């Protein structure tokens, strides 16, 4: 194995100071500046030395001790520094702790560790033989760069047991089920993205009676588009020149364009005259042609596909508690949606994480499968949650303070469009 040497940044450490000729009685402490020099030897083991720097910044750094190869928990001090071997031994715990932290820094790990064997040997030389072998850090923080930033303390990522309203509902009652999911970004794959795993485990569930007025509306974006005759002819020539096999030479393509212009010589003269005259007076060519010749340029108008669209869904639920226990469940359900849709602060508050998302499905006759007779949903974001606390028009709480009725409106939108291939092969279900 090739050898390597790495020296850490220096740190200040307080060591015990002795006084008197015999240097036997402690007289406080003094501060020294040390770093750890680590050498990976040819046999794959590591030599760990401690270096002291002059406190005034002048002179060269000197080696003041080495970890005992046979017992890395012990240091062999040589007494070459400003502190005696006895003083260093008295402060060995502090010096050893500083050295361990220096070796565990990302700088040292990146310079010395190439594989798990190096990591194991370095841990042993650093008196940490039982430390887990982890890849070197790529930053100065204690969080590996591959891990997502931690969420702010108090962030809720588990919403407990499923919540049901009404609490005494019949098991075979038709329901709408909302599963909350941790947001999962898509991964790039080729020219597109991989599919998001919509079957992943939920972090909370609410079931409610299917409300009235449910509906869906599938749509695509189509728009009017025009292309003038000259643009069309030039585009045709360009497409011929850009054939994948290069079978149409540039000259031939331009020749075809010239042929079209010559064949329609009379019409082209009218077009050129109309455009020139319109430009001269700052008028619209079509307006001038329509006024003077009773015709316009063929716009080749066509309705063209512009892109997919995302479906919105709105639900409204009226919940009237019939007991104190049911009032608590309703409160928890409202909080479930409000807290679940809220942005998540990352621990440093430099970033905001995406709120939780929702998997929605209609369930009929107590089944756990989606209904074939109602629409399906793709994973949704909750855009708004509005609550009316006095839907009856007057303030009428119970004795414990719970409202006699609540009306909650939820507005969702799917995260991605519905595509033709999403429907599957079952012709007896409505699908999306």
């Amino acid at each position: 194995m090739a050898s390597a040497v790495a020296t850490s940044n220096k740190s200040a450490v307080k060591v015990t100071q002795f006084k008197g000729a015999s240097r036997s009685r402690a007289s406080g402490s003094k501060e020294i500046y040390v770093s750890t020099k680590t050498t990976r030897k040819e046999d794959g083991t590591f030599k760990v030395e401690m270096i002291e720097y002059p406190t005034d910044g002048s002179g060269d750094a000197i080696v003041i001790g080495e970890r005992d190869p046979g017992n890395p928990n012990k240091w062999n001090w040589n007494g070459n520094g400003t502190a005696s071997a006895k003083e260093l031994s008295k402060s060995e715990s502090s010096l050893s702790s500083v050295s361990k932290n220096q070796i565990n820094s990302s700088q040292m790990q990146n310079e010395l560790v190439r594989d798990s064997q190096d990591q194991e040997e370095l841990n042993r030389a650093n008196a940490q033989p039982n430390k887990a072998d982890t890849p070197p850090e790529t930053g100065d923080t204690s969080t590996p760069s591959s891990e997502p930033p931690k969420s702010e303390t108090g962030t809720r990522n588990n919403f407990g047991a499923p919540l049901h309203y009404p609490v005494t509902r019949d098991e075979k009652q038709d329901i709408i089920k909302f599963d909350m999911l941790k947001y999962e970004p898509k991964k790039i794959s080729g020219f597109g993205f991989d599919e998001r795993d919509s079957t992943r485990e939920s972090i909370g569930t609410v079931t409610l009676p299917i409300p009235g007025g449910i509906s869906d509306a599938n749509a695509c974006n189509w728009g009017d588009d025009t292309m003038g005759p000259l643009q069309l002819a030039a585009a045709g020539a360009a497409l011929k020149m850009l054939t994948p096999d290069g079978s149409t030479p540039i000259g031939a393509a331009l020749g075809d364009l010239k042929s079209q212009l010559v064949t329609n010589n009379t019409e082209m003269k009218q077009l050129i005259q109309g455009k020139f005259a319109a430009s001269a007076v700052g008028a619209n060519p079509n307006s001038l042609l329509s006024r003077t010749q009773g015709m316009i340029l063929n716009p080749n108008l066509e309705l063209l596909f512009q892109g997919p669209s995302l479906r919105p869904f709105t639900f409204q639920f009226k919940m009237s508690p019939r007991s104190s226990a049911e009032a608590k469940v309703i409160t928890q359900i409202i909080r479930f949606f409000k807290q679940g849709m809220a942005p998540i602060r990352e621990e440093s508050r430099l970033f905001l994480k995406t709120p939780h998302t929702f998997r929605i499905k209609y369930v009929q006759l107590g089944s756990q499968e989606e209904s074939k007779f109602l629409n399906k949903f793709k994973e949704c974001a909750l855009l708004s949650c509005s609550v009316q606390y006095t839907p009856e028009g007057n303030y009428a709480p119970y004795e414990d303070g719970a409202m006699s009725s609540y009306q909650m409106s939820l507005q969702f939108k799917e995260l991605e469009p519905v595509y033709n291939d999403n429907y599957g092969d079952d012709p007896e279900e409505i699908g999306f």
Side-chain angles (χ1 to χ4, degrees):
M1 288 188 176
S3 60
V5 180
T7 303
S8 72
N9 294 326
K10 61 183 178 182
S11 303
V13 185
K14 290 187 180 296
V15 298
T16 301
Q17 187 173 20
F18 292 97
K19 71 176 182 179
S22 62
R23 301 180 71 85
S24 60
R25 190 154 56 95
S27 63
S29 63
K30 62 180 177 182
E31 193 173 70
I32 64 173
Y33 292 89
V34 299
S35 66
T36 302
K37 177 183 177 182
T38 306
T39 305
R40 186 179 64 233
K41 300 188 288 188
E42 293 289 340
D43 62 357
T45 61
F46 289 84
K47 178 182 178 181
V48 178
E49 298 172 294
M50 186 168 289
I51 300 173
E52 181 183 353
Y53 296 83
T55 54
D56 61 359
S58 62
D60 297 326
I62 55 174
V63 176
I64 59 174
E66 177 182 353
R67 278 193 183 272
D68 191 324
N71 180 13
N73 287 303
K74 182 178 181 300
W75 284 84
N76 297 322
W77 306 108
N78 57 31
N80 291 336
T82 58
S84 67
K86 184 177 180 180
E87 290 173 330
L88 294 173
S89 296
K90 189 72 174 177
S91 306
E92 191 166 292
S93 176
S94 298
L95 291 162
S96 185
S97 177
V98 167
S99 178
K100 284 181 181 179
N101 290 335
Q102 289 174 337
I103 290 180
N104 288 333
S105 69
S106 58
Q107 170 225 333
M108 295 283 279
Q109 296 283 314
N110 287 329
E111 290 186 39
L112 296 169
V113 177
R114 301 167 300 179
D115 51 32
S116 59
Q117 183 179 348
D118 280 349
Q119 186 73 70
E120 183 178 349
E121 289 294 336
L122 183 59
N123 290 345
R124 184 180 293 110
N126 199 26
Q128 296 175 299
N130 297 321
K131 182 182 176 184
D133 292 342
T134 55
E137 297 173 352
T138 56
D140 292 331
T141 66
S142 59
T143 303
S145 62
S146 60
E147 293 183 6
K150 292 181 180 179
S151 300
E152 180 66 278
T153 302
T155 298
R156 193 176 180 188
N157 289 314
N158 188 325
F159 286 75
L163 300 169
H164 310 288
Y165 173 83
V167 295
T168 58
R169 69 175 174 85
D170 187 338
E171 290 184 357
K172 292 190 176 181
Q173 179 181 350
D174 295 351
I175 59 170
I176 182 169
K177 183 179 181 183
F178 299 91
D179 285 312
M180 190 184 297
L181 308 171
K182 284 186 179 180
Y183 177 76
E184 182 180 280
K186 284 186 169 185
K187 296 179 180 178
I188 296 175
S189 177
F191 294 105
F193 292 89
D194 285 337
E195 292 295 324
R196 186 181 283 108
D197 179 15
S198 60
T199 63
R200 62 192 185 276
E201 186 178 356
S202 71
I203 58 175
T205 300
V206 163
T207 62
L208 296 167
I210 296 179
I214 58 173
S215 64
D216 68 352
N218 291 36
C220 275
N221 292 323
W222 292 73
D224 296 353
D225 190 83
T226 61
M227 183 172 281
L230 288 180
Q231 291 175 300
L232 201 56
L239 288 173
K240 287 181 180 179
M241 289 187 285
L242 296 175
T243 52
D245 58 359
S247 57
T248 305
I250 295 177
L254 294 177
D256 289 344
L257 178 59
K258 179 181 177 181
S259 176
Q260 293 181 46
L261 296 178
V262 172
T263 301
N264 300 285
N265 186 40
T266 303
E267 292 79 3
M268 287 306 303
K269 283 183 178 180
Q270 291 177 319
L271 171 59
I272 293 171
Q273 288 173 352
K275 278 188 167 292
F276 180 78
S279 299
V281 298
N284 184 298
N286 272 338
S287 297
L288 185 60
L289 287 171
S290 181
R291 289 175 181 276
T292 59
Q293 301 184 40
M295 60 182 182
I296 62 171
L297 293 172
N298 182 358
N300 295 295
L301 177 64
E302 188 175 357
L303 185 68
L304 298 179
F305 174 63
Q306 304 289 336
S309 62
L310 300 171
R311 298 188 300 176
F313 295 94
T314 301
F315 303 101
Q316 193 169 86
F317 302 95
K318 189 173 183 180
M319 298 176 285
S320 301
R322 296 164 296 174
S323 66
S324 177
E326 195 163 65
K328 290 179 180 177
V329 170
I330 292 173
T331 301
Q332 291 173 331
I333 288 174
I334 293 172
R335 183 188 177 100
F336 171 90
F337 288 107
K338 283 191 169 187
Q339 189 171 10
M341 70 174 291
I344 299 170
R345 289 191 295 189
E346 166 271 318
E347 195 173 38
S348 71
R349 301 195 179 185
L350 180 62
F351 298 100
L352 290 178
K353 294 182 178 181
T354 304
H356 300 315
T357 53
F358 296 84
R359 180 172 58 225
I360 307 172
K361 66 179 179 179
Y362 294 116
V363 179
Q364 291 181 306
L365 304 175
S367 168
Q368 291 302 309
E369 301 298 324
E370 286 185 273
S371 170
K372 291 186 175 183
F373 305 99
L374 293 169
N375 67 281
K376 292 183 178 181
F377 302 86
K378 287 204 167 186
E379 191 173 329
C380 292
L382 179 53
L383 304 185
S384 71
C385 172
S386 59
V387 180
Q388 171 59 258
Y389 298 96
T390 57
E392 309 298 342
N394 60 303
Y395 179 71
Y398 289 115
E399 292 180 357
D400 61 358
M403 296 296 104
S404 57
S405 191
Y406 298 83
Q407 186 164 293
M408 178 176 66
S409 297
L410 304 174
Q411 184 181 357
F412 293 91
K413 199 167 192 176
E414 288 178 320
L415 298 185
E416 58 183 66
V418 174
Y419 298 103
N420 185 299
D421 58 279
N422 293 142
Y423 282 84
D425 299 323
D426 187 353
E428 296 183 1
E429 69 174 14
I430 290 177
F432 292 95

